Amino acid sequence: MILLDGRKTSNDIKDEITREVQEMKDKGERVPHLAAVLVGNDGASLTYVGSKVKACERVGFESTLIQLPHTVSEVELLDTIDELNKNEEIDGFIIQLPLPKQINSQKVLMAVDPKKDVDGFHPTNFGKMALDMSTFIPATPFGILTLLERYKVETQGKHTVVIGRSHIVGRPMSILMGRKGFPGNSTVTLTHSYTKNMKEITRDADIIITALGVPGFLKADMVKDGVVIIDVGITRVPDESRARGYYITGDVDFENVSKKAGYITPVPGGVGPMTIAMLLKNTLLAREQAK
Ligand code: GUN
């Protein structure tokens, strides 16, 4: 079994980006600038956004964090987006999800200028991705592709089973794994809560990408020997014995599934760190395209 080490790979990518930023500085160019909009004070979202800002510092990017109260109106949020769209100092920005109930997330994501949409959530960018056009690929799927690429995991002709059809992970992953090229050329099955015979489908899979948020969902009797496992689940399980009051776990029964797997991502330290590295990569791309 080979561990797909997202921590190491993301550090390699951050080092590569740091070198590119240094070259920009040496040439007297403005460095990339990422902004993040955080609405409310959900613990997990605060942690994610904090990690994104810290990652910017690490590679030498400028960053701006805009915090809005959970009571913010849709109009106020749309005004903030309008300002970010117009601000020439900002190369890319993200609206951390989920958003409070009074806000229509679709409307908000559609207000982001596609040229600054480093999350790749705007329909224009999502459509370009589906059509094999060059664009921002959402950070988590981009991170998974990069892990498969750097570890040279064969995907051509393989049966890839994606579990979960979220707009952020499952849906884009199902498109990307079936695209022409590497990683890609897979035969893809997209499964969800209405899928019948889940076990039969996963037992036939060469590659399983699970993004459910259900701890321990994927068990050893659901996979075949040599399977490639990408665990995108990140669930906080309350645990008073830990200083933080919780621990993080994925969708996979790692202890038992890892004994059968050819490759597997750990949680934490797998897909999570890759997501942040790829957001930086998209921001660098946005900066280069803005030149
Ligand atoms: N919430 C969970 N994942 C993501 C992500 O990749 N981007 C944003 N903006 N919000 C998220």
Side-chain angles (χ1 to χ4, degrees):
M1 180 271 290
I2 294 172
L3 207 61
L4 296 169
D5 187 343
R7 207 162 268 146
K8 182 196 173 294
T9 310
S10 71
N11 280 329
D12 291 347
I13 292 168
K14 285 184 207 161
D15 289 344
E16 291 159 20
I17 294 173
T18 305
R19 283 195 288 274
E20 291 199 44
V21 172
Q22 191 55 49
E23 280 174 25
M24 287 177 157
K25 282 184 185 162
D26 292 346
K27 285 192 239 163
E29 293 175 2
R30 185 172 66 69
V31 300
H33 188 162
L34 173 71
V37 180
L38 175 63
V39 180
N41 43 22
D42 170 67
S45 290
L46 272 167
T47 306
Y48 293 148
V49 171
S51 307
K52 290 171 186 178
V53 169
K54 225 163 80 190
C56 283
E57 281 168 22
R58 145 112 197 245
V59 299
F61 285 7
E62 291 280 338
S63 68
T64 299
L65 172 59
I66 299 168
Q67 279 191 272
L68 300 171
H70 74 279
T71 50
V72 74
S73 70
E74 193 174 283
V75 170
E76 284 170 292
L77 180 54
L78 289 171
D79 282 347
T80 302
I81 291 173
D82 194 41
E83 281 169 27
L84 290 168
N85 283 340
K86 287 181 184 148
N87 187 339
E88 288 181 6
E89 303 271 291
I90 306 260
D91 300 293
F93 65 97
I94 62 154
I95 316 294
Q96 187 65 30
L97 302 176
L99 290 169
K101 291 201 168 42
Q102 75 272 19
I103 291 170
N104 179 338
S105 302
Q106 195 99 51
K107 198 165 161 187
V108 164
L109 296 179
M110 283 183 71
V112 176
D113 181 342
K115 291 197 287 297
K116 295 191 177 189
D117 171 39
V118 286
D119 255 336
F121 293 166
H122 191 283
T124 295
N125 289 326
F126 204 92
K128 282 183 164 180
M129 175 196 70
L131 294 169
D132 292 341
M133 296 165 75
S134 156
T135 187
F136 300 115
I137 293 173
T140 302
F142 194 8
I144 294 169
L145 293 184
T146 304
L147 268 182
L148 294 171
E149 186 183 3
R150 295 208 174 192
Y151 278 86
K152 299 186 170 63
V153 177
E154 184 60 83
T155 59
Q156 181 160 307
K158 302 293 182 187
H159 181 200
T160 294
V161 172
V162 179
I163 307 177
R165 55 180 160 180
S166 73
H167 294 172
I168 295 181
V169 185
R171 188 74 55 81
M173 238 19 255
S174 69
I175 295 168
L176 291 162
M177 292 301 284
R179 293 203 310 187
K180 283 187 181 163
F182 172 71
N185 290 341
S186 256
T187 305
V188 180
T189 303
L190 178 59
T191 68
H192 45 75
S193 50
Y194 290 93
T195 297
K196 291 178 182 163
N197 311 326
M198 179 67 94
K199 196 163 159 178
E200 253 171 57
I201 296 169
T202 55
R203 280 179 70 92
D204 184 61
D206 302 303
I207 301 169
I208 299 177
I209 300 165
T210 169
L212 267 187
V214 178
F217 173 83
L218 195 76
K219 304 217 161 29
D221 66 349
M222 294 171 74
V223 306
K224 69 178 176 190
D225 283 328
V227 67
V228 177
I229 301 282
I230 308 287
D231 189 352
V232 192
I234 302 179
T235 304
R236 290 181 174 202
V237 180
D239 180 357
E240 291 310 324
S241 72
R242 313 219 180 187
R244 284 170 162 179
Y246 65 88
Y247 67 93
I248 300 278
T249 189
D251 290 345
V252 177
D253 172 5
F254 186 89
E255 191 189 338
N256 295 306
V257 172
S258 61
K259 289 175 188 150
K260 290 175 90 174
Y263 295 86
I264 188 166
T265 59
V267 177
V271 176
M274 290 301 293
T275 296
I276 295 184
M278 303 330 283
L279 177 66
L280 298 174
K281 192 107 183 152
N282 276 343
T283 307
L284 184 65
L285 197 67
R287 174 75 197 98
E288 279 162 0
Q289 284 172 354
K291 277 183 195 170

